[in-house]
Amino acid sequence: MKKLLLMGAAALLSLGTLSAQGWAWGPKVGATFSTVNGIADTKMLPGVSAGLFFESVACNWFVIESDLLFSMQGFKTDDGDNTSSVRLNYISMPILGKYYVIDGLNLQMGASFDYLVHTGAKVDDVKVDMDGSFNKFNIQLLAGLAYDFDFGMILEGRYRYGLTPLAPKSQDVYSGMLQLSVGWRF
């Protein structure tokens, strides 16, 4: 509960940076391709992300953005004998800076604060209960590249790397995710 309150406070602080002028918001939807680092024979697991973004213009070359997204993450393993998949669904709140290089082309850097809302796992098509096996809170470092069109459309790609261990007993297993998104600015 404390972590959820911290996420809410961070959201309010990031939204508090929005001024009456120079701010925008909009929907965002995309595809995720996630895996983990630290487990042998892992493969990417595809998923989706969807939600809203809010941004505030700090100056003509720098913008602060905060997203609130539902994000499907996880991983697959195949050791030759067994195939398993683990699905981790998060409420994600990336907070980042966007540095505009040329026109709408921008570089992104920041962090994502994720709260685990659902876990699902299968081993050879048999469901396995893994509730409590993963940390509820995950922090990821993110870097990305995006293009903001003048008419409102946004295309972006981000890579996110976990800074907190994925599971309490696995201190060397971290998440990794490629996220491709399309958004529309109002």
Side-chain angles (χ1 to χ4, degrees):
M1 185 60 143
K2 290 179 186 177
K3 292 177 183 175
L4 193 57
L5 290 174
L6 273 172
M7 284 179 61
L12 288 175
L13 286 174
S14 67
L15 292 177
T17 63
L18 301 177
S19 63
Q21 298 175 359
W23 71 275
W25 68 278
K28 185 181 287 191
V29 65
T32 62
F33 304 93
S34 59
T35 189
V36 293
N37 302 305
I39 298 177
D41 302 318
T42 58
K43 296 181 170 122
M44 286 193 165
L45 185 66
V48 297
S49 66
L52 296 171
F53 72 91
F54 303 90
E55 62 182 25
S56 175
V57 177
C59 62
N60 63 352
W61 53 268
F62 188 75
V63 170
I64 298 170
E65 181 178 316
S66 179
D67 302 350
L68 187 59
L69 305 169
F70 171 78
S71 177
M72 295 172 78
Q73 300 178 36
F75 59 95
K76 290 194 269 188
T77 62
D78 188 357
D79 62 5
D81 295 328
N82 297 314
T83 302
S84 63
S85 64
V86 176
R87 172 71 65 196
L88 304 169
N89 295 335
Y90 289 95
I91 298 296
S92 273
M93 192 180 70
I95 300 173
L96 55 120
K98 296 168 63 172
Y99 173 71
Y100 284 83
V101 182
I102 299 171
D103 296 326
L105 183 66
N106 61 83
L107 302 173
Q108 302 178 350
M109 187 72 150
S112 180
F113 305 92
D114 302 345
Y115 183 76
L116 184 64
V117 292
H118 181 263
T119 303
K122 286 185 181 180
V123 176
D124 293 329
D125 295 326
V126 176
K127 290 185 180 182
V128 178
D129 182 17
M130 297 200 70
D131 286 340
S133 298
F134 297 95
N135 287 327
K136 285 285 196 184
F137 192 65
N138 188 19
I139 299 173
Q140 297 175 323
L141 181 65
L142 69 85
L145 182 66
Y147 193 85
D148 300 356
F149 292 92
D150 290 335
F151 57 89
M153 186 164 145
I154 300 168
L155 297 176
E156 68 184 13
R158 295 178 180 167
Y159 183 77
R160 295 166 41 164
Y161 183 81
L163 297 177
T164 55
L166 202 56
K169 297 180 182 179
S170 300
Q171 296 300 316
D172 58 346
V173 177
Y174 298 91
S175 61
M177 181 176 73
L178 176 64
Q179 180 180 5
L180 304 173
S181 301
V182 175
W184 194 269
R185 178 184 294 109
F186 294 107

